[in-house]
Amino acid sequence: MTEIDRRRLLAAGGGVALAAALTAGCGSNTGRGDGGSGPGISQWYHQYGEPGTERAVQRYAAAYKKANVTVQWRPGDYDRQTAAALLTDSGPDVFEVNGPSLEQIQGGQVVDLTAEVAPVKHDFNQAVLAPKIWRDKIWGIPQTVDMQLLYYRKSALLEAGLQPPGTLDELVDTAKKLTTKKTKGLFLGNDGGVGMLGGTPLYAAGLSLITADQKVGFDDPAAARTLAKVRQLYVDKSLLLGAPTDWSDPAAFIQGLTAMQWSGLWALPQIQKALGNDFGVLPFPMDGPGGKPAVPVGAYGSAVSTRSKRTTEAKAFAKWLWVERTDFQQDFALSYGFHIPARISLAKHAQQLQTGAPADAVRFATEYGHAEPLLWTNASRTAYQDALSRIIKDGANPESELRSVVRRVNAEIQRVRKK
């Protein structure tokens, strides 16, 4: 998975935009050449950056004996390609999706997979499963979990006589004390955290973007207080800005430009190779009496197109691969890059995730994970992101900014619920 894909999946941006026509000439029709007989099923994946992933998914398809599964690897803007393809008869039967989105579900573009997931529903990471559920039906099967977390340099905190921050106030204080002429205390991205923080500080305050009963989840004074503290990091000049690479790359942390960095789980092997045991990981620290640690998570899902002429066979294959074949699921998560299996039982017993920072990451994702809800539309996201930018970088009043966002999000919720 590329850095852009991960930002799309986990950061404040994302969502699927409809294209006017299917982008042609992308991907390669790998075929199978061996394996089972039976009906032909096409399966699409976005292009992963990790070596070996494409060969792995071809191997999984070849192992299926009840249909002839053809894998397509789709470079380019995959979300736009699939969104457009779902409107035609030339699209995939089974496909990987950043979602499915609410528009795809409400538009009748994806097949109900509730029955396929039901036997193991409880075993999926519930935070990543929740955005794939609409009106009590499951529309996509989570594949692997990606997450963001806070990396800190143990030796830097030890030399300063500091403990790893457990609250947002402590994070602000620690970042300031770790800032020197050569090193900044914290790196949240070259924009000061505007692009990647999203709703994470709200969850750390015990709030949410949208509640379980489909209401605005941050219409609360605690939201403004929390975002004001994030602004304080900027005011204190504790944040690294203008690093050679952005937050998804751990280079600034490894090179000692910052003592703490917010990044993704994908960065952990690179950090471990460079620093050995001289690092630890944390969730975003809790804020306030009602707060709790927060960890943004996301998962691409496997879905089935309603335009498929073989929906029964396609559903059976999706269930076989992402529900029944736990060996393939673990292989996909941990043999090509570094992800967490979407199934809790697999994450708990995977050897690579048993100790140290990887084990901590699994626990954080399970206990504190949150994902963008289905009702969080592009319009809501844009309104919130613009307000967050003005609060952090320009010092705008958090209360007045959030009041405006609450009105916009309320209107969006009412609009999409009517569909």
Side-chain angles (χ1 to χ4, degrees):
M1 188 179 295
T2 67
E3 292 175 4
I4 292 175
D5 293 323
R6 289 188 172 107
R7 284 196 291 268
R8 183 178 299 137
L9 179 64
L10 284 169
V16 179
L18 290 178
L22 173 61
T23 303
C26 295
S28 58
N29 191 328
T30 62
R32 286 179 39 155
D34 61 356
S37 59
I41 296 174
S42 64
Q43 182 186 26
W44 285 15
Y45 288 89
H46 84 282
Q47 183 178 25
Y48 283 74
E50 292 93 346
T53 311
E54 185 177 6
R55 290 192 297 274
V57 298
Q58 293 173 19
R59 176 166 51 85
Y60 306 156
Y64 190 63
K65 304 305 180 182
K66 295 181 179 180
N68 186 11
V69 181
T70 301
V71 173
Q72 282 200 26
W73 206 244
R74 309 287 295 191
D77 192 338
Y78 179 81
D79 287 348
R80 291 179 65 89
Q81 292 178 38
T82 52
L86 294 179
L87 302 177
T88 75
D89 291 327
S90 59
D93 299 301
V94 181
F95 64 102
E96 186 178 57
V97 62
N98 179 15
S101 70
L102 187 57
E103 290 80 4
Q104 289 169 335
I105 296 169
Q106 290 181 324
Q109 297 172 13
V110 290
V111 173
D112 176 9
L113 297 174
T114 307
E116 283 67 31
V117 177
V120 295
K121 179 181 177 181
H122 66 283
D123 192 39
F124 279 96
N125 181 303
Q126 297 301 295
V128 297
L129 181 63
K132 305 185 188 309
I133 298 175
W134 178 247
R135 294 182 176 166
D136 298 323
K137 294 181 179 180
I138 300 171
W139 302 94
I141 308 175
Q143 296 178 174
T144 64
V145 178
D146 267 316
M147 62 180 292
Q148 298 172 13
L149 65 171
L150 180 66
Y151 293 90
Y152 66 93
R153 194 76 172 261
K154 292 180 179 178
S155 58
L157 270 69
L158 183 62
E159 291 170 10
L162 299 170
Q163 295 295 318
T167 67
L168 182 53
D169 287 322
E170 291 175 0
L171 179 65
V172 173
D173 183 61
T174 301
K176 187 174 183 179
K177 290 179 178 178
L178 290 174
T179 297
T180 66
K181 292 182 179 179
K182 295 183 178 180
T183 302
K184 288 293 186 179
L186 178 63
F187 185 37
L188 296 175
N190 285 325
D191 60 1
V194 172
M196 50 67 53
L197 281 178
T200 300
L202 303 179
Y203 286 91
L207 307 173
S208 63
L209 293 173
I210 295 175
T211 65
D213 57 353
Q214 301 183 352
K215 297 179 181 178
V216 177
F218 53 93
D219 189 5
D220 188 296
R225 290 195 296 268
T226 294
L227 295 187
K229 294 177 184 179
V230 178
R231 159 67 179 172
Q232 190 61 44
L233 288 163
Y234 194 90
V235 172
D236 289 344
K237 298 184 179 180
S238 302
L239 297 179
L240 174 64
L241 303 171
T245 56
D246 215 337
W247 67 272
S248 61
D249 189 319
F253 182 67
I254 291 172
Q255 294 168 10
L257 302 179
T258 180
M260 299 183 290
Q261 177 174 336
W262 188 260
S263 190
L265 181 67
W266 55 84
L268 197 151
Q270 188 177 347
I271 292 173
Q272 197 163 39
K273 182 178 180 180
L275 302 181
N277 292 322
D278 188 22
F279 79 98
V281 295
L282 295 169
F284 193 89
M286 62 181 289
D287 186 47
K292 63 178 182 179
V295 173
V297 296
Y300 271 85
S302 184
V304 173
S305 171
T306 54
R307 299 295 288 262
S308 169
K309 295 180 174 62
R310 302 179 179 88
T311 56
T312 299
E313 294 86 352
K315 287 194 297 180
F317 171 68
K319 178 181 179 180
W320 174 84
L321 180 54
W322 298 112
V323 173
E324 297 173 359
R325 289 303 300 259
T326 54
D327 55 338
F328 288 163
Q329 294 160 36
Q330 185 163 314
D331 179 66
F332 187 70
L334 290 165
S335 298
Y336 321 96
F338 199 69
H339 317 272
I340 298 175
R343 300 276 290 278
I344 295 170
S345 60
L346 296 182
K348 186 181 296 184
H349 295 107
Q351 185 177 355
Q352 301 96 314
L353 304 174
Q354 289 295 301
T355 60
D360 289 338
V362 172
R363 178 169 58 86
F364 298 155
T366 304
E367 296 181 5
Y368 308 129
H370 67 269
E372 281 194 349
L374 265 176
L375 280 171
W376 191 245
T377 66
N378 284 331
S380 295
R381 186 181 299 110
T382 298
Y384 175 77
Q385 285 299 117
D386 290 347
L388 188 63
S389 179
R390 291 189 291 268
I391 292 168
I392 293 177
K393 301 176 73 172
D394 302 332
N397 183 276
E399 289 88 351
S400 58
E401 289 288 338
L402 287 175
R403 278 197 298 271
S404 176
V405 177
V406 166
R407 289 194 296 270
R408 181 60 188 271
V409 175
N410 262 323
E412 277 294 289
I413 292 174
Q414 298 307 313
R415 180 182 68 81
V416 298
R417 286 180 64 181
K418 291 177 181 177
K419 292 186 176 181

